[in-house]
Amino acid sequence: MKVRIPRNELKVGMFIERAVLDTSVESFMNVDFIQNVLVDSPEKLEELKSKRIKFLLIDTEKSQKTEPEKQVNNEAAVQKEMPKIEESESVIEEVAEPEPEEPHAEELLDTFDIKEKKKETPDKPLVPFEEELKISRTIKAEAVGNVKKMLQDAAVGKSFETEIAKKHVNEMVKSIFRNKDALLSLTRLKSFDEYTFTHSINVTVLAIALARELGFSRKQVDVIGFGAMLHDVGKMKIPEKILNKPGKLTHEERMEIQKHANYGYELLKERGDIPEVAQLMAYEHHEKADGNGYPCGKTLDLLLPESVLSGVVDVYDALTSARVYKPGMNPPHALTFLKARAEKEFRADYVDKFIEVIGIFPVGSVVEFNTGQIGIVKEINRDNLFRPYVILVMNAKGKKIGAGRIITPSKYESADLKIVRYRDPQDFGIYVSEYLDGDQKII
Ligand SMILES: [Fe+2]
Protein backbone atom coordinates (compact mmCIF):
# COMPACT_ATOMS: atom_id res chain seq x y z
CA MET A 1 0.00 0.00 0.00
CA LYS A 2 1.17 3.52 -0.69
CA VAL A 3 0.50 6.17 1.92
CA ARG A 4 1.24 9.83 2.03
CA ILE A 5 2.80 11.01 5.27
CA PRO A 6 4.00 14.35 6.63
CA ARG A 7 7.76 14.95 6.52
CA ASN A 8 8.17 14.78 10.31
CA GLU A 9 6.82 11.22 10.35
CA LEU A 10 9.55 9.84 8.13
CA LYS A 11 11.37 7.01 9.96
CA VAL A 12 14.30 4.67 9.50
CA GLY A 13 13.10 1.62 7.60
CA MET A 14 10.58 3.44 5.44
CA PHE A 15 10.74 3.04 1.68
CA ILE A 16 10.17 6.32 -0.15
CA GLU A 17 8.20 5.69 -3.30
CA ARG A 18 8.35 9.34 -4.19
CA ALA A 19 9.23 12.60 -2.49
CA VAL A 20 8.97 16.04 -3.97
CA LEU A 21 11.53 18.46 -2.61
CA ASP A 22 10.87 22.09 -1.91
CA THR A 23 8.99 23.64 -4.77
CA SER A 24 8.30 26.93 -3.10
CA VAL A 25 8.11 30.03 -5.21
CA GLU A 26 11.49 31.34 -4.07
CA SER A 27 13.45 28.19 -4.69
CA PHE A 28 11.78 26.62 -7.67
CA MET A 29 15.15 26.19 -9.35
CA ASN A 30 15.96 23.52 -6.77
CA VAL A 31 12.93 21.41 -7.49
CA ASP A 32 13.68 17.76 -7.62
CA PHE A 33 12.29 14.37 -6.84
CA ILE A 34 13.50 11.48 -4.77
CA GLN A 35 12.30 8.08 -5.87
CA ASN A 36 12.67 4.54 -4.59
CA VAL A 37 14.88 5.26 -1.61
CA LEU A 38 15.09 3.10 1.50
CA VAL A 39 15.80 5.11 4.65
CA ASP A 40 18.32 2.57 5.92
CA SER A 41 20.12 4.49 8.67
CA PRO A 42 19.67 7.36 11.13
CA GLU A 43 22.24 9.30 9.09
CA LYS A 44 20.19 8.84 5.95
CA LEU A 45 17.10 9.96 7.85
CA GLU A 46 18.86 13.11 9.06
CA GLU A 47 20.08 13.86 5.55
CA LEU A 48 16.58 13.49 4.13
CA LYS A 49 15.01 15.52 6.89
CA SER A 50 17.41 18.35 6.18
CA LYS A 51 15.91 18.60 2.69
CA ARG A 52 12.70 20.52 2.44
CA ILE A 53 10.34 17.72 1.52
CA LYS A 54 6.92 18.88 0.40
CA PHE A 55 5.32 15.62 -0.61
CA LEU A 56 6.18 12.19 0.69
CA LEU A 57 4.77 8.91 -0.54
CA ILE A 58 5.74 5.73 1.31
CA ASP A 59 5.46 2.18 0.01
CA THR A 60 4.53 0.23 3.15
CA GLU A 61 5.13 -3.16 1.50
CA LYS A 62 8.72 -2.30 0.66
CA SER A 63 9.31 -0.63 4.02
CA GLN A 64 11.24 -2.66 6.59
CA LYS A 65 9.69 -3.60 9.87
CA THR A 66 11.09 -1.33 12.57
CA GLU A 67 11.12 -1.80 16.32
CA PRO A 68 8.06 -0.13 17.86
CA GLU A 69 10.14 1.63 20.55
CA LYS A 70 12.33 3.24 17.92
CA GLN A 71 9.41 4.87 16.24
CA VAL A 72 8.59 8.28 17.55
CA ASN A 73 4.84 8.84 17.64
CA ASN A 74 4.43 5.42 16.14
CA GLU A 75 0.97 4.78 17.52
CA ALA A 76 -0.34 8.07 16.32
CA ALA A 77 1.18 7.46 12.93
CA VAL A 78 -0.43 4.05 12.63
CA GLN A 79 -3.80 5.13 13.92
CA LYS A 80 -3.97 8.13 11.69
CA GLU A 81 -5.71 7.07 8.57
CA MET A 82 -3.59 7.98 5.62
CA PRO A 83 -5.23 8.60 2.31
CA LYS A 84 -4.76 5.73 -0.09
CA ILE A 85 -3.23 6.76 -3.34
CA GLU A 86 -4.21 4.66 -6.26
CA GLU A 87 -1.44 4.25 -8.75
CA SER A 88 -3.74 4.94 -11.66
CA GLU A 89 -4.86 8.27 -10.24
CA SER A 90 -1.73 9.61 -8.66
CA VAL A 91 0.89 9.14 -11.26
CA ILE A 92 -0.68 9.22 -14.68
CA GLU A 93 0.29 12.53 -16.18
CA GLU A 94 -3.02 13.83 -17.42
CA VAL A 95 -5.77 11.65 -16.06
CA ALA A 96 -6.57 8.09 -15.14
CA GLU A 97 -7.46 5.44 -17.69
CA PRO A 98 -10.95 5.65 -19.14
CA GLU A 99 -13.37 3.63 -17.07
CA PRO A 100 -14.50 0.47 -18.84
CA GLU A 101 -18.23 1.05 -18.74
CA GLU A 102 -19.79 3.95 -20.49
CA PRO A 103 -22.83 5.36 -18.69
CA HIS A 104 -26.23 5.16 -20.36
CA ALA A 105 -28.46 8.21 -20.57
CA GLU A 106 -30.66 6.90 -17.73
CA GLU A 107 -27.61 6.69 -15.47
CA LEU A 108 -26.54 10.15 -16.54
CA LEU A 109 -29.83 11.49 -15.23
CA ASP A 110 -28.96 10.10 -11.80
CA THR A 111 -25.35 11.21 -11.98
CA PHE A 112 -26.03 14.79 -12.84
CA ASP A 113 -29.31 15.11 -10.97
CA ILE A 114 -30.19 18.09 -13.09
CA LYS A 115 -33.75 19.21 -12.81
CA GLU A 116 -35.56 21.33 -15.29
CA LYS A 117 -34.99 24.90 -14.27
CA LYS A 118 -35.54 28.41 -15.42
CA LYS A 119 -32.66 30.81 -15.33
CA GLU A 120 -33.32 34.03 -13.50
CA THR A 121 -31.33 35.96 -16.06
CA PRO A 122 -31.62 34.60 -19.57
CA ASP A 123 -28.22 34.41 -21.21
CA LYS A 124 -29.13 35.42 -24.75
CA PRO A 125 -26.19 35.34 -27.17
CA LEU A 126 -25.37 38.71 -28.75
CA VAL A 127 -24.73 37.09 -32.13
CA PRO A 128 -26.46 34.05 -33.70
CA PHE A 129 -24.52 30.78 -33.51
CA GLU A 130 -24.04 30.35 -37.27
CA GLU A 131 -22.65 33.85 -37.65
CA GLU A 132 -20.21 33.48 -34.77
CA LEU A 133 -19.16 30.00 -35.91
CA LYS A 134 -17.69 31.41 -39.12
CA ILE A 135 -15.65 33.97 -37.16
CA SER A 136 -14.58 31.51 -34.49
CA ARG A 137 -13.24 29.01 -37.05
CA THR A 138 -10.77 31.64 -38.23
CA ILE A 139 -9.92 32.65 -34.66
CA LYS A 140 -9.13 29.07 -33.72
CA ALA A 141 -7.15 28.22 -36.86
CA GLU A 142 -4.93 31.30 -36.51
CA ALA A 143 -4.43 30.71 -32.80
CA VAL A 144 -3.34 27.07 -33.25
CA GLY A 145 -0.70 28.10 -35.81
CA ASN A 146 0.72 30.91 -33.70
CA VAL A 147 0.61 29.03 -30.41
CA LYS A 148 2.61 26.24 -31.99
CA LYS A 149 5.33 28.68 -32.97
CA MET A 150 5.21 30.41 -29.59
CA LEU A 151 5.56 27.19 -27.61
CA GLN A 152 8.34 25.91 -29.86
CA ASP A 153 10.25 29.17 -29.40
CA ALA A 154 9.83 28.85 -25.65
CA ALA A 155 11.25 25.34 -25.79
CA VAL A 156 14.55 26.44 -27.31
CA GLY A 157 14.89 29.42 -25.01
CA LYS A 158 13.91 31.95 -27.66
CA SER A 159 11.96 34.95 -26.53
CA PHE A 160 8.37 34.18 -27.50
CA GLU A 161 5.83 36.79 -28.45
CA THR A 162 3.39 37.14 -25.59
CA GLU A 163 1.67 39.97 -27.46
CA ILE A 164 0.51 37.44 -30.05
CA ALA A 165 -0.86 35.18 -27.34
CA LYS A 166 -2.66 38.11 -25.74
CA LYS A 167 -4.18 39.07 -29.09
CA HIS A 168 -5.52 35.55 -29.65
CA VAL A 169 -6.85 35.31 -26.11
CA ASN A 170 -8.56 38.67 -26.55
CA GLU A 171 -10.25 37.50 -29.76
CA MET A 172 -11.40 34.31 -28.07
CA VAL A 173 -12.77 36.18 -25.07
CA LYS A 174 -14.73 38.50 -27.36
CA SER A 175 -16.09 35.56 -29.34
CA ILE A 176 -17.22 33.77 -26.16
CA PHE A 177 -18.89 36.92 -24.90
CA ARG A 178 -20.77 37.21 -28.22
CA ASN A 179 -21.85 33.55 -28.39
CA LYS A 180 -19.93 30.99 -26.31
CA ASP A 181 -21.32 27.94 -28.08
CA ALA A 182 -19.58 28.73 -31.37
CA LEU A 183 -16.00 28.52 -30.13
CA LEU A 184 -16.92 25.81 -27.63
CA SER A 185 -18.27 23.62 -30.44
CA LEU A 186 -14.86 23.76 -32.10
CA THR A 187 -13.19 22.20 -29.07
CA ARG A 188 -14.82 18.96 -30.24
CA LEU A 189 -12.53 19.02 -33.26
CA LYS A 190 -9.22 17.70 -32.12
CA SER A 191 -5.98 17.30 -33.95
CA PHE A 192 -4.43 13.95 -33.20
CA ASP A 193 -0.95 14.90 -34.38
CA GLU A 194 -0.69 18.32 -32.81
CA TYR A 195 -2.07 17.39 -29.43
CA THR A 196 -0.15 19.83 -27.24
CA PHE A 197 -1.01 22.82 -29.41
CA THR A 198 -4.67 21.97 -29.99
CA HIS A 199 -5.00 21.04 -26.33
CA SER A 200 -3.61 24.45 -25.30
CA ILE A 201 -6.19 26.23 -27.44
CA ASN A 202 -9.05 24.01 -26.29
CA VAL A 203 -8.12 24.53 -22.65
CA THR A 204 -8.00 28.28 -23.31
CA VAL A 205 -11.50 28.31 -24.81
CA LEU A 206 -12.97 26.11 -22.07
CA ALA A 207 -11.26 28.11 -19.32
CA ILE A 208 -12.50 31.44 -20.69
CA ALA A 209 -16.08 30.14 -20.97
CA LEU A 210 -16.03 28.67 -17.46
CA ALA A 211 -14.37 31.74 -15.90
CA ARG A 212 -16.98 33.99 -17.44
CA GLU A 213 -19.85 31.88 -16.07
CA LEU A 214 -18.24 31.72 -12.64
CA GLY A 215 -18.35 35.49 -12.51
CA PHE A 216 -14.69 36.38 -12.85
CA SER A 217 -14.22 39.96 -14.07
CA ARG A 218 -13.44 40.64 -17.70
CA LYS A 219 -9.84 41.49 -16.77
CA GLN A 220 -9.51 38.24 -14.81
CA VAL A 221 -10.99 36.28 -17.70
CA ASP A 222 -8.28 37.72 -19.97
CA VAL A 223 -5.54 36.61 -17.59
CA ILE A 224 -7.11 33.16 -17.13
CA GLY A 225 -7.23 32.74 -20.91
CA PHE A 226 -3.60 33.76 -21.17
CA GLY A 227 -2.56 31.39 -18.37
CA ALA A 228 -4.55 28.56 -19.94
CA MET A 229 -2.84 29.08 -23.29
CA LEU A 230 0.55 28.75 -21.63
CA HIS A 231 -0.34 26.17 -18.96
CA ASP A 232 1.59 23.32 -20.62
CA VAL A 233 4.51 25.38 -21.92
CA GLY A 234 6.81 23.27 -19.72
CA LYS A 235 6.02 20.20 -21.84
CA MET A 236 8.19 21.69 -24.52
CA LYS A 237 11.16 20.68 -22.36
CA ILE A 238 10.07 17.05 -22.09
CA PRO A 239 11.43 14.66 -24.74
CA GLU A 240 8.79 14.00 -27.38
CA LYS A 241 9.39 10.26 -27.25
CA ILE A 242 8.15 10.29 -23.65
CA LEU A 243 5.26 12.71 -24.25
CA ASN A 244 3.91 10.67 -27.15
CA LYS A 245 4.96 7.23 -26.03
CA PRO A 246 2.42 4.61 -27.01
CA GLY A 247 1.76 2.25 -24.12
CA LYS A 248 2.30 2.51 -20.43
CA LEU A 249 4.87 4.93 -19.09
CA THR A 250 7.53 3.74 -16.69
CA HIS A 251 7.70 5.31 -13.25
CA GLU A 252 10.73 7.37 -14.30
CA GLU A 253 8.99 8.59 -17.44
CA ARG A 254 5.98 9.70 -15.43
CA MET A 255 8.24 11.55 -13.04
CA GLU A 256 9.88 13.22 -16.02
CA ILE A 257 6.54 14.32 -17.49
CA GLN A 258 5.41 15.66 -14.14
CA LYS A 259 8.32 18.07 -14.17
CA HIS A 260 6.54 20.07 -16.88
CA ALA A 261 4.64 21.99 -14.19
CA ASN A 262 7.91 23.23 -12.69
CA TYR A 263 9.52 23.84 -16.06
CA GLY A 264 6.51 25.87 -17.18
CA TYR A 265 6.53 27.98 -14.06
CA GLU A 266 10.26 28.55 -14.40
CA LEU A 267 9.95 29.57 -18.06
CA LEU A 268 7.14 32.03 -17.39
CA LYS A 269 8.64 33.51 -14.24
CA GLU A 270 11.99 34.13 -15.94
CA ARG A 271 10.38 36.34 -18.55
CA GLY A 272 9.25 38.99 -16.13
CA ASP A 273 6.22 40.06 -18.18
CA ILE A 274 3.77 37.26 -17.39
CA PRO A 275 1.10 37.90 -14.72
CA GLU A 276 1.70 35.89 -11.56
CA VAL A 277 -1.71 34.25 -11.89
CA ALA A 278 -0.70 32.84 -15.28
CA GLN A 279 2.64 31.62 -13.88
CA LEU A 280 0.86 29.83 -11.04
CA MET A 281 -1.68 28.26 -13.38
CA ALA A 282 1.24 26.56 -15.16
CA TYR A 283 2.66 25.52 -11.80
CA GLU A 284 -0.51 24.30 -10.08
CA HIS A 285 -2.81 22.92 -12.78
CA HIS A 286 -2.08 19.29 -11.78
CA GLU A 287 -2.59 19.86 -8.08
CA LYS A 288 -5.68 18.25 -6.54
CA ALA A 289 -8.01 19.62 -3.89
CA ASP A 290 -7.16 16.73 -1.55
CA GLY A 291 -3.42 17.28 -1.88
CA ASN A 292 -2.75 14.24 -4.07
CA GLY A 293 -1.66 16.20 -7.09
CA TYR A 294 1.76 17.45 -8.13
CA PRO A 295 4.28 19.09 -7.99
CA CYS A 296 3.70 20.23 -4.38
CA GLY A 297 0.71 18.25 -3.15
CA LYS A 298 -1.01 21.52 -2.24
CA THR A 299 -4.55 21.28 -0.91
CA LEU A 300 -7.49 23.36 -2.09
CA ASP A 301 -7.00 26.08 0.52
CA LEU A 302 -3.51 26.75 -0.84
CA LEU A 303 -4.43 26.74 -4.49
CA LEU A 304 -5.30 29.65 -6.65
CA PRO A 305 -8.96 29.36 -7.82
CA GLU A 306 -7.70 29.99 -11.36
CA SER A 307 -5.47 26.91 -11.06
CA VAL A 308 -8.38 24.75 -9.88
CA LEU A 309 -10.45 26.04 -12.79
CA SER A 310 -7.69 25.20 -15.28
CA GLY A 311 -7.37 21.74 -13.69
CA VAL A 312 -11.05 21.01 -14.40
CA VAL A 313 -10.91 22.00 -18.07
CA ASP A 314 -7.47 20.45 -18.59
CA VAL A 315 -8.67 17.05 -17.37
CA TYR A 316 -11.84 17.28 -19.47
CA ASP A 317 -9.96 18.05 -22.67
CA ALA A 318 -7.32 15.40 -21.96
CA LEU A 319 -10.01 12.78 -21.33
CA THR A 320 -11.94 13.57 -24.48
CA SER A 321 -8.85 13.65 -26.71
CA ALA A 322 -7.58 10.58 -28.53
CA ARG A 323 -3.89 9.96 -27.98
CA VAL A 324 -1.44 7.43 -29.32
CA TYR A 325 -2.09 5.32 -26.23
CA LYS A 326 -5.86 5.75 -25.74
CA PRO A 327 -9.10 6.60 -27.53
CA GLY A 328 -10.90 9.78 -26.56
CA MET A 329 -13.66 9.44 -23.99
CA ASN A 330 -17.04 10.78 -25.07
CA PRO A 331 -18.20 14.01 -23.34
CA PRO A 332 -20.95 12.57 -21.10
CA HIS A 333 -18.56 9.85 -19.98
CA ALA A 334 -15.80 12.39 -19.26
CA LEU A 335 -18.22 14.60 -17.33
CA THR A 336 -19.30 11.60 -15.24
CA PHE A 337 -15.62 11.04 -14.50
CA LEU A 338 -15.19 14.67 -13.42
CA LYS A 339 -18.39 14.66 -11.41
CA ALA A 340 -17.25 11.58 -9.47
CA ARG A 341 -14.03 13.37 -8.49
CA ALA A 342 -15.43 16.86 -8.11
CA GLU A 343 -15.12 17.17 -4.33
CA LYS A 344 -11.93 15.19 -3.94
CA GLU A 345 -9.88 16.64 -6.73
CA PHE A 346 -11.45 19.92 -7.81
CA ARG A 347 -14.31 22.02 -6.53
CA ALA A 348 -17.85 20.73 -6.83
CA ASP A 349 -19.25 24.15 -7.77
CA TYR A 350 -16.68 24.55 -10.55
CA VAL A 351 -17.47 21.12 -12.00
CA ASP A 352 -21.23 21.75 -11.85
CA LYS A 353 -20.83 25.11 -13.57
CA PHE A 354 -18.60 23.54 -16.19
CA ILE A 355 -21.27 20.93 -16.99
CA GLU A 356 -23.81 23.73 -17.31
CA VAL A 357 -21.49 25.65 -19.65
CA ILE A 358 -20.68 22.89 -22.11
CA GLY A 359 -23.81 20.78 -21.65
CA ILE A 360 -23.94 17.04 -21.03
CA PHE A 361 -24.18 16.61 -24.79
CA PRO A 362 -22.02 19.51 -26.03
CA VAL A 363 -22.67 21.29 -29.32
CA GLY A 364 -21.48 19.02 -32.13
CA SER A 365 -22.24 15.78 -30.23
CA VAL A 366 -23.87 13.00 -32.24
CA VAL A 367 -26.75 11.54 -30.25
CA GLU A 368 -29.24 8.70 -30.62
CA PHE A 369 -32.91 9.07 -29.69
CA ASN A 370 -35.17 6.39 -28.24
CA THR A 371 -36.78 6.25 -31.69
CA GLY A 372 -33.48 5.21 -33.29
CA GLN A 373 -33.10 8.57 -35.02
CA ILE A 374 -29.63 10.10 -35.05
CA GLY A 375 -28.93 13.80 -34.67
CA ILE A 376 -26.27 16.41 -33.99
CA VAL A 377 -26.55 18.77 -31.04
CA LYS A 378 -26.83 22.28 -32.41
CA GLU A 379 -27.51 24.29 -29.30
CA ILE A 380 -27.46 23.65 -25.57
CA ASN A 381 -30.76 24.10 -23.79
CA ARG A 382 -29.51 25.34 -20.43
CA ASP A 383 -32.95 24.96 -18.90
CA ASN A 384 -32.64 21.20 -19.41
CA LEU A 385 -29.28 19.78 -20.47
CA PHE A 386 -30.89 16.50 -21.52
CA ARG A 387 -33.05 18.26 -24.10
CA PRO A 388 -30.74 20.23 -26.39
CA TYR A 389 -31.65 21.51 -29.87
CA VAL A 390 -30.72 18.67 -32.23
CA ILE A 391 -30.41 18.55 -36.01
CA LEU A 392 -31.81 15.25 -37.25
CA VAL A 393 -29.40 13.62 -39.70
CA MET A 394 -30.65 10.03 -39.89
CA ASN A 395 -34.03 8.42 -39.65
CA ALA A 396 -34.86 5.39 -37.54
CA LYS A 397 -33.90 3.08 -40.41
CA GLY A 398 -30.39 4.52 -40.56
CA LYS A 399 -31.01 6.51 -43.74
CA LYS A 400 -29.40 9.95 -43.99
CA ILE A 401 -31.83 12.84 -44.06
CA GLY A 402 -30.99 15.42 -46.68
CA ALA A 403 -32.25 18.68 -45.22
CA GLY A 404 -31.76 18.41 -41.50
CA ARG A 405 -34.72 19.20 -39.29
CA ILE A 406 -34.30 20.55 -35.80
CA ILE A 407 -35.74 18.96 -32.70
CA THR A 408 -36.55 21.79 -30.31
CA PRO A 409 -36.82 21.32 -26.52
CA SER A 410 -40.64 21.37 -26.62
CA LYS A 411 -40.67 18.50 -29.13
CA TYR A 412 -39.21 16.09 -26.56
CA GLU A 413 -42.39 16.29 -24.51
CA SER A 414 -44.88 16.25 -27.36
CA ALA A 415 -43.22 13.42 -29.29
CA ASP A 416 -42.11 11.44 -26.23
CA LEU A 417 -38.51 11.76 -27.35
CA LYS A 418 -35.40 11.28 -25.31
CA ILE A 419 -31.71 10.99 -25.99
CA VAL A 420 -30.57 7.51 -25.11
CA ARG A 421 -26.88 7.75 -25.85
CA TYR A 422 -23.94 9.55 -27.32
CA ARG A 423 -22.66 8.10 -30.62
CA ASP A 424 -19.37 8.30 -32.42
CA PRO A 425 -19.81 10.29 -35.68
CA GLN A 426 -17.39 7.90 -37.36
CA ASP A 427 -19.95 5.11 -36.97
CA PHE A 428 -22.10 6.90 -39.52
CA GLY A 429 -19.62 8.77 -41.71
CA ILE A 430 -21.07 12.06 -40.49
CA TYR A 431 -19.10 15.30 -40.85
CA VAL A 432 -20.46 17.30 -37.97
CA SER A 433 -19.15 20.67 -39.14
CA GLU A 434 -21.18 20.42 -42.36
CA TYR A 435 -24.38 20.43 -40.34
CA LEU A 436 -23.63 23.25 -37.94
CA ASP A 437 -23.59 26.11 -40.41
CA GLY A 438 -27.34 26.61 -40.62
CA ASP A 439 -30.17 26.03 -43.08
CA GLN A 440 -32.04 23.55 -40.92
CA LYS A 441 -35.78 23.52 -40.54
CA ILE A 442 -37.32 23.71 -37.09
CA ILE A 443 -39.86 20.96 -36.35
FE1 LIG B 1 -0.21 19.75 -17.81
Side-chain angles (χ1 to χ4, degrees):
M1 187 170 90
K2 296 181 181 70
V3 293
R4 189 176 163 201
I5 64 165
R7 181 178 49 184
N8 60 2
E9 288 181 18
L10 184 64
K11 308 282 182 308
V12 174
M14 287 182 171
F15 186 89
I16 301 175
E17 166 85 9
R18 177 162 59 117
V20 180
L21 303 187
D22 192 355
T23 50
S24 66
V25 171
E26 312 82 64
S27 58
F28 68 90
M29 294 295 283
N30 296 326
V31 164
D32 212 346
F33 299 98
I34 296 173
Q35 296 159 31
N36 302 328
V37 171
L38 175 68
V39 188
D40 54 1
S41 66
E43 291 73 23
K44 185 83 181 170
L45 179 65
E46 278 317 301
E47 184 202 325
L48 288 165
K49 281 193 164 178
S50 70
K51 295 178 191 293
R52 297 176 66 186
I53 296 173
K54 283 281 200 180
F55 178 95
L56 193 53
L57 191 65
I58 300 297
D59 188 329
T60 54
E61 267 132 27
K62 291 183 185 165
S63 294
Q64 295 172 346
K65 292 275 176 275
T66 50
E67 296 298 318
E69 60 272 20
K70 287 183 187 168
Q71 292 188 20
V72 183
N73 295 332
N74 183 55
E75 270 191 23
V78 171
Q79 281 171 13
K80 189 172 176 184
E81 201 181 330
M82 296 299 176
K84 265 193 211 175
I85 299 182
E86 300 294 333
E87 184 81 358
S88 62
E89 289 181 20
S90 65
V91 292
I92 289 179
E93 139 54 6
E94 299 286 2
V95 282
E97 302 286 345
E99 289 175 341
E101 285 301 318
E102 193 176 302
H104 295 288
E106 296 294 331
E107 292 166 44
L108 291 174
L109 272 165
D110 293 338
T111 303
F112 296 113
D113 189 27
I114 288 165
K115 314 266 184 309
E116 239 180 297
K117 59 171 186 157
K118 292 278 169 234
K119 285 174 88 89
E120 297 106 33
T121 47
D123 182 21
K124 280 273 167 234
L126 299 172
V127 171
F129 176 80
E130 292 84 359
E131 198 179 307
E132 191 58 40
L133 186 61
K134 292 185 181 84
I135 305 168
S136 59
R137 279 199 183 117
T138 311
I139 292 174
K140 184 174 176 185
E142 287 180 0
V144 170
N146 281 325
V147 164
K148 182 176 177 179
K149 186 181 177 313
M150 188 180 72
L151 294 180
Q152 285 170 337
D153 283 350
V156 293
K158 269 208 225 164
S159 172
F160 53 97
E161 287 286 340
T162 50
E163 285 312 309
I164 290 175
K166 280 183 189 158
K167 175 183 152 276
H168 288 303
V169 169
N170 193 261
E171 282 172 357
M172 288 180 191
V173 172
K174 285 198 278 189
S175 172
I176 285 168
F177 275 68
R178 288 190 296 261
N179 185 324
K180 60 177 173 287
D181 289 334
L183 208 41
L184 279 173
S185 75
L186 299 182
T187 62
R188 296 284 316 122
L189 310 171
K190 306 195 187 263
S191 166
F192 186 75
D193 300 327
E194 308 263 42
Y195 173 73
T196 302
F197 312 116
T198 321
H199 172 67
S200 296
I201 298 299
N202 286 344
V203 167
T204 307
V205 173
L206 296 167
I208 291 170
L210 177 56
R212 182 197 175 214
E213 296 301 312
L214 284 170
F216 284 91
S217 71
R218 171 62 201 261
K219 208 173 160 193
Q220 287 173 312
V221 173
D222 282 340
V223 175
I224 289 169
F226 188 56
M229 195 175 267
L230 296 167
H231 79 286
D232 264 348
V233 63
K235 278 194 182 163
M236 297 293 104
K237 289 200 162 195
I238 310 291
E240 208 181 321
K241 66 175 195 303
I242 299 181
L243 275 183
N244 293 322
K245 182 185 170 182
K248 210 168 163 57
L249 295 171
T250 65
H251 181 74
E252 288 69 28
E253 287 166 339
R254 284 189 201 112
M255 294 298 106
E256 188 58 34
I257 287 185
Q258 290 190 2
K259 287 183 183 170
H260 81 277
N262 299 98
Y263 291 153
Y265 176 67
E266 192 179 324
L267 268 169
L268 299 180
K269 192 176 170 66
E270 270 172 0
R271 287 186 54 97
D273 64 346
I274 309 285
E276 198 184 2
V277 168
Q279 296 171 26
L280 288 170
M281 284 170 70
Y283 193 41
E284 296 177 339
H285 68 277
H286 286 288
E287 298 287 3
K288 303 285 179 217
D290 61 2
N292 283 327
Y294 67 86
C296 301
K298 286 185 187 174
T299 44
L300 184 64
D301 51 325
L302 298 173
L303 292 170
L304 212 62
E306 290 88 339
S307 302
V308 181
L309 182 157
S310 62
V312 172
V313 298
D314 181 38
V315 168
Y316 174 79
D317 192 67
L319 282 172
T320 52
S321 300
R323 303 296 309 279
V324 279
Y325 50 83
K326 70 163 183 77
M329 209 186 256
N330 71 46
H333 194 187
L335 293 173
T336 309
F337 183 99
L338 277 181
K339 184 84 177 154
R341 290 155 180 81
E343 296 268 8
K344 194 170 159 277
E345 299 189 6
F346 309 101
R347 272 181 60 155
D349 54 337
Y350 281 19
V351 171
D352 285 346
K353 186 59 82 179
F354 182 60
I355 293 166
E356 200 183 300
V357 169
I358 64 160
I360 291 165
F361 301 102
V363 174
S365 298
V366 175
V367 292
E368 182 181 326
F369 286 97
N370 52 339
T371 53
Q373 292 162 299
I374 303 292
I376 295 171
V377 175
K378 183 183 173 61
E379 193 180 325
I380 308 296
N381 165 24
R382 292 190 170 87
D383 290 335
N384 185 333
L385 298 176
F386 287 92
R387 294 179 173 183
Y389 293 80
V390 175
I391 307 163
L392 278 185
V393 295
M394 275 186 169
N395 65 20
K397 290 178 181 160
K399 200 164 171 258
K400 279 192 185 171
I401 298 169
R405 294 172 301 161
I406 293 182
I407 305 283
T408 59
S410 59
K411 190 78 181 167
Y412 287 80
E413 195 75 62
S414 59
D416 200 19
L417 276 177
K418 67 180 172 189
I419 293 175
V420 288
R421 60 182 172 141
Y422 181 96
R423 297 295 305 260
D424 186 340
Q426 288 184 10
D427 291 347
F428 309 100
I430 292 172
Y431 292 96
V432 171
S433 54
E434 284 177 9
Y435 287 90
L436 293 177
D437 285 327
D439 302 330
Q440 287 88 25
K441 206 169 82 184
I442 291 181
I443 56 170

